[in-house]
Each structure stands twice: as C-alpha cells, then as structure tokens.
Amino acid sequence: MIIAVDGPTASGKGTISKQLAAHFGLPHLDTGLLYRAVGRQVQLNGTDPDSEADAVAATSFPDSLLEDPELRSEAGGSLASRVSVHPGVRKALFERQRAFAQQDGGAVLDGRDIGTVICPDADVKLFVTASLDARTDRRFAEMQGQGRDVTREEVLEQVRRRDERDMERKDAPLVAAPDAFILDTTTLDKAAAIAAAINVVTTATR
Ligand code: DC
C-alpha cells in the first residue's frame, strides 16, 4: 500500500505521516529532507541556491548529510524551498523517491508533490492543511520552545513566504491531487488529527 501525504509547511503532515507509517507498519520517507539536504549542500559548497546549475550539482550530497541537525532549522526549510523551484533538482530527486515508494509492501511518503507527481497511483492520498493562523501559531510555539528569539509577525511572514514559493512555482507546485482526501487540522489537536488520518486510510483501503 502506498500512502501519499502532501500539504503546506506546519500543517502537521510530518507527524501524521510518521504515525500512519507506525500504525500500518510501513516505511516512511520525509521527502522534504531531501530538498533540505540539497539546500544545505549548496550552502556547504558556498554556491548559489537560486542558480539551477549550482543546486543540481548539490543533489549528489552524501547520505550522511541527512543526519545534519541544521536541516531541520527554519533556515534549512527556506533554503530547501528555494532549491526546490528548479526543475533539474526535482528531476534529480525523482528516482530516489519513486524507488522508495515502489518497494515491496509499500510506503508512506510526505511532501508537496507526492500525490500529483511522485505517486499519482498511490492507494490513498491525503492533503493535510490548516489555516495560515493555526500554522503560524504552531510554528511560533515550536520556535519559542527551542528558545528562539522571534516574533509571531516574523513567523507569519516566513510561513506566508514559504506557501507562496511552494504554491506558485511552475514545476510541481503544491496543490491537492483531485483525488486527495483533504484533512483540515485547524481545529484538531495532534491526537485527533492522527486518528482522522488513520480513519481515512482504513476506510479508503477497506
Ligand atoms: O516538508 P518540508 O518543510 O521539510 O519541505 C521543505 C521544502 O522542500 C518545501 O518548502 C518545498 C520543498 N519540497 C518540495 O518541493 N517537494 C517535496 N516533495 C518536499 C519538499
């Protein structure tokens, strides 16, 4: 069984995907991490994330880079979003994601274009979303918890900018597949969102 999970930043798709994978006993790939690794490799190379050639050169990052804690930072997410607009980068990461999805028994993948481009044939597609305000509150609380010196307005602007770049790029923009189940987590806590996602998958694959 292949489960595709897409959605904007701070929608809860990462948590939901991890829990779906645990519940259904499937391996999980956080595809955003691949784009984050490309962004980080560009930075380590001292090259330009907005240059397609520089970003494509960084797609041959070593696997060990996926463990770099810098990848999880807000700056890492923003760099990932910048390199992800280049078609050459998306093409270079395509096979790796496809191969993961097509392993025996299936998998859960989360990202922005899983249901539309990477696994258009997925058994279940979830599009996890939440209002801009709710996502800002979550990201702000997370950053405050990490002791980061940031205002809610700054976080709102970061989330808004990331949405804009991810949704407006020409190649594989963030959009719900026509056959995706939309899970709006605005008013749901973590446990309720996970339960709703498990219910969608169970019902869809019965
Ligand atoms: O899911 P994330 O926040 O870790 O993703 C970081 C960035 O990577 C996101 O802003 C856009 C890009 N991305 C993408 O273009 N396609 C994916 N399947 C996953 C992530």
Side-chain angles (χ1 to χ4, degrees), residues 5-10 13-14 30-36 71-72 76-85 90 97 110-114 118 139 162-163 165-166 169 171-172 174:
V5 183
D6 291 300
T9 191
K13 70 180 159 46
D30 167 4
T31 64
L33 209 54
L34 303 177
Y35 290 91
R36 286 170 184 258
L71 261 47
R72 312 262 175 196
S78 172
L79 262 177
S81 177
R82 281 166 70 184
V83 298
S84 76
V85 304
R90 309 201 68 83
Q97 297 173 77
D110 80 84
R112 300 290 187 291
D113 63 343
I114 308 303
I118 306 294
R139 182 55 53 80
R162 189 105 83 84
D163 279 359
R165 201 183 291 117
D166 292 349
R169 68 172 177 237
D171 192 15
L174 170 65

Side-chain angles (χ1 to χ4, degrees), residues 5 12-30 72 108 110 194:
V5 183
K13 70 180 159 46
T15 305
I16 286 174
S17 305
K18 249 180 252 139
Q19 294 302 320
L20 282 175
H23 184 86
F24 293 101
L26 295 168
H28 168 229
L29 181 65
D30 167 4
R72 312 262 175 196
V108 180
D110 80 84
I194 292 164

